[in-house]
Amino acid sequence: LAADIVGKKCREVIGGPVIKAKSGALAQLASKAGVSLQEADARLGFLTAKAAEACRVMMANPGMRVGVSILVNMKKNGVLFVNECLLLSLKLPAVNWSYCVGFQRDISKEVPLHALLSAASSDSAYSLLISRRGAALDARRSTLLGVGGENVVRCLHEKALNVFSQDIW
């Protein structure tokens, strides 16, 4: 639900830190991926670092670059899944306020958990995974950056103004 995530930092709701905080989740991940606990922990750390890198790229180019990361996430019921996360930094034109929006999508059917953990072993393997997702990612990036998605950005600005105005008043 949106109420569960609005206003929270990404690291509080997705990825490695969330999985490490849940009892037994890391062991579940290691079992599903066929790796040791230590290896699962290391690969979660790798994926978390890649997500942070995607955030830095996005923040350095507001409104022009979409940050992309693929990581492990956990549903409320404890089920692990592969999460494609797209991040966009925008400025609300009327007041020049910056804000970030994240879009998550379960892509477990397209990228199995074991395949993601395998790709989380090196920069080249992870980059290959991202490049194989190219067409699907390009379509979503184009929509977010306005190519056929002007209504998406306008809607985001309106929602951001509503959220910001509630925080200030």
Side-chain angles (χ1 to χ4, degrees):
L1 294 174
D4 295 335
I5 60 171
V6 170
K8 292 190 178 178
K9 294 181 170 102
C10 288
R11 70 175 175 260
E12 296 173 9
V13 295
I14 63 172
V18 172
I19 292 167
K20 290 179 185 183
K22 301 277 185 184
S23 177
L26 188 60
Q28 178 187 352
L29 176 63
S31 174
K32 286 185 179 260
V35 298
S36 69
L37 276 174
Q38 184 178 6
E39 190 63 27
D41 186 46
R43 292 184 188 198
L44 273 178
F46 177 91
L47 293 170
T48 301
K50 287 298 184 184
E53 183 181 310
C55 285
R56 285 190 293 276
V57 167
M58 178 254 326
M59 292 301 291
N61 302 284
M64 300 184 63
R65 293 287 305 269
V66 174
V68 177
S69 62
I70 299 175
L71 46 134
V72 180
N73 204 357
M74 181 183 292
K75 296 181 181 184
K76 278 186 174 184
N77 64 5
V79 172
L80 296 171
F81 68 99
V82 177
N83 183 25
E84 176 185 83
C85 188
L86 304 180
L87 303 165
L88 182 62
S89 175
L90 296 169
K91 283 191 181 267
L92 194 61
V95 289
N96 204 32
W97 286 337
S98 296
Y99 64 98
C100 296
V101 180
F103 300 89
Q104 298 183 55
R105 197 166 153 270
D106 181 346
I107 60 167
S108 300
K109 290 180 181 172
E110 301 158 52
V111 179
L113 195 56
H114 64 85
L116 175 60
L117 269 273
S118 178
S121 60
S122 71
D123 285 333
S124 60
Y126 185 80
S127 295
L128 182 61
L129 175 66
I130 294 287
S131 70
R132 287 183 178 156
R133 303 267 320 130
L137 288 170
D138 287 345
R140 283 191 282 289
R141 277 188 193 116
S142 294
T143 298
L144 289 176
L145 293 174
V147 179
E150 294 80 8
N151 291 332
V152 171
V153 173
R154 186 174 64 241
C155 178
L156 291 174
H157 285 323
E158 290 169 5
K159 286 181 185 276
L161 183 57
N162 287 336
V163 170
F164 287 142
S165 64
Q166 290 172 8
D167 286 345
I168 318 179
W169 311 115

